[in-house]
Amino acid sequence: MTNRRNFLKKAGLFTAAAGSATLAAPHVKAQAPIKWRLQTYAGPALAEHVIKPSIDQFNKVAAGQMEIELYFADQLVPTGELFRAMQRGTIDAVQSDDDSIAAPVDVSVFGGYFPFASRYSLDVPVLFNEYGLKEIWEEAYSEVEGVKWLSAGAWDPCNFATVDPIRSLEDLKGKRVFTFPTAGRFLQRFGVVPVTLPWEDIEVAVQTGELDGIAWSGITEDYTVGWADVTNYYLTNNISGAWAGSYFVNEERWNELPENLQTLYMLCINSSHYHRQYWYWWGEAHYRTTGGKLELTSIPEEEWTTVEDEALKFWDEIAAESPRNAKVVEILKKYRETMQKAGPPYRYG
């Protein structure tokens, strides 16, 4: 017991001495947090689901080491100028698709809604992570100075929401529609007139008659962002089963991050990818059956098959634009064949 008391007394002296030394140390000012500005393709209502939760998680877990300021569609920079702005360092990061931000890479045409490249949302992560698209995208963006591509994931399908009903291909002719660049390029073959406008102007443009409809999303977004309030019909046939969107970052800003923050950012991207998988899968069925605002219409399957056949011709045209595009199209064809051979639940009919 005597030895134990002597040990505790000495330990207390050492602790006190250490404490004194700590108190005597000069004050070091805490390092200011790293600040990023990230702009998404989505408006405020949609961003609440497709990115804001993951950015809130990041800022919370970063615990003052870093803070990401989130900006919505066209808030800092018009969407079509996002890539160049990120390259210059005007903004630090982007969530969008390659097609909309005019990424100067050949594979940008496959971003957004590449016609009939997917049937379901799970097709997108499978194509990137199991069929080699990830490595192709990394290669393409390594050739562009100043921007790093980080990850791609799936969003919703591409359907028409219109003022007047679409029940045949003939009904598409002359319709002025807000859509994505490559999707619009394809839809022109069926008489659709693609229109480009700032995202926040779409609702008013439908109300004023400047637009006849929207082919920018599935039904979940039509209800979430208010487009179901200004259109009357929803075409159940889609030209793509899922939007392929990506996360991009200014390469210098990315390289400046310590490894733990890079890892945290990638984890939050994956969290966003996962949330969208079930949120859209729920919404597409929920709003078709209980939405109450849009009447569902369909083009007969035998007629819609001609659109799918035309898409395969479109694929071959895109493949001819570069060897890398040809490689992507080859993967898409192999994937399509595999899914068809696998049968239900991968493909029906």
Side-chain angles (χ1 to χ4, degrees):
M1 289 295 293
T2 301
N3 289 339
R4 184 170 180 270
R5 288 192 190 99
N6 289 337
F7 171 78
L8 290 172
K9 286 179 181 179
K10 290 177 181 178
L13 289 172
F14 292 147
T15 303
S20 299
T22 302
L23 290 172
H27 175 69
V28 179
K29 184 179 180 181
Q31 187 176 0
I34 299 166
K35 293 260 190 182
W36 270 15
R37 300 199 299 176
L38 186 160
Q39 185 168 309
T40 176
Y41 73 97
L46 184 57
E48 285 290 336
H49 298 277
V50 301
I51 189 169
K52 190 175 182 298
S54 64
I55 298 304
D56 290 344
Q57 289 170 352
F58 181 94
N59 288 337
K60 183 176 181 179
V61 179
Q65 191 179 1
M66 180 172 171
E67 182 183 352
I68 298 175
E69 298 173 347
L70 178 63
Y71 295 88
F72 307 124
D74 305 308
Q75 195 170 357
L76 293 178
V77 182
T79 296
E81 299 174 19
L82 275 176
F83 192 92
R84 299 301 183 190
M86 179 172 42
Q87 201 172 33
R88 291 192 303 266
T90 305
I91 54 176
D92 304 297
V94 165
Q95 180 206 41
S96 187
D97 70 279
D98 324 59
D99 198 26
S100 296
I101 65 175
V105 293
D106 45 8
V107 296
S108 66
V109 293
F110 300 103
Y113 291 120
F114 190 66
F116 297 96
S118 62
R119 181 70 61 89
Y120 306 116
S121 58
L122 273 176
D123 291 339
V124 174
V126 170
L127 282 162
F128 273 87
N129 296 296
E130 302 296 338
Y131 276 72
L133 294 194
K134 177 178 180 287
E135 289 74 20
I136 292 174
W137 259 245
E138 288 173 341
E139 175 191 85
Y141 283 94
S142 71
E143 299 169 3
V144 180
E145 185 178 353
V147 170
K148 184 176 179 63
W149 174 88
L150 294 178
S151 179
W155 273 253
D156 52 341
C158 182
N159 295 68
F160 285 84
T162 53
V163 176
D164 297 320
I166 304 295
R167 294 191 173 94
S168 70
L169 292 181
E170 186 67 26
D171 292 335
L172 289 174
K173 292 181 178 178
K175 292 290 188 294
R176 293 160 298 175
V177 173
F178 173 64
T179 190
F180 290 86
T182 299
R185 177 178 162 187
F186 173 68
L187 289 170
Q188 283 180 307
R189 298 175 180 227
F190 304 97
V192 172
V193 180
V195 178
T196 301
L197 290 170
W199 192 89
E200 63 183 7
D201 295 342
I202 304 309
E203 188 171 339
V204 172
V206 175
Q207 290 175 304
T208 60
E210 186 178 353
L211 286 175
D212 299 304
I214 301 153
W216 199 83
S217 69
I219 201 167
T220 309
E221 290 187 11
D222 291 334
Y223 277 84
T224 301
V225 306
W227 293 339
D229 297 326
V230 295
T231 54
N232 303 311
Y233 298 92
Y234 181 81
L235 181 65
T236 60
N237 313 76
N238 65 57
I239 66 161
S240 182
W243 188 68
S246 290
Y247 285 79
F248 308 84
V249 66
N250 176 280
E251 191 166 23
E252 186 177 348
R253 296 288 83 76
W254 179 255
N255 292 336
E256 289 172 354
L257 291 188
E259 187 177 0
N260 69 306
L261 290 178
Q262 288 183 352
T263 302
L264 175 59
Y265 190 62
M266 294 304 298
L267 286 170
C268 288
I269 286 174
N270 286 333
S271 171
S272 177
H273 288 337
Y274 172 66
H275 175 79
R276 293 191 313 273
Q277 283 284 339
Y278 66 81
W279 183 65
Y280 280 118
W281 189 253
W282 160 80
E284 296 306 299
H286 172 77
Y287 289 112
R288 282 192 186 200
T289 56
T290 64
K293 295 178 181 179
L294 297 177
E295 181 181 332
L296 306 184
T297 64
S298 297
I299 294 175
E301 194 62 36
E302 60 273 15
E303 190 176 357
W304 192 249
T305 299
T306 63
V307 182
E308 292 195 49
D309 293 342
E310 191 65 31
L312 295 179
K313 297 176 187 176
F314 184 72
W315 288 14
D316 289 337
E317 292 173 17
I318 297 298
E321 293 180 355
S322 77
R324 190 156 47 211
N325 282 2
K327 191 174 180 180
V328 174
V329 168
E330 183 183 351
I331 289 172
L332 292 178
K333 287 182 176 180
K334 179 182 177 182
Y335 184 73
R336 173 187 168 93
E337 181 182 355
T338 300
M339 295 297 105
Q340 288 174 333
K341 284 182 178 179
Y346 297 94
R347 293 293 185 266
Y348 292 85

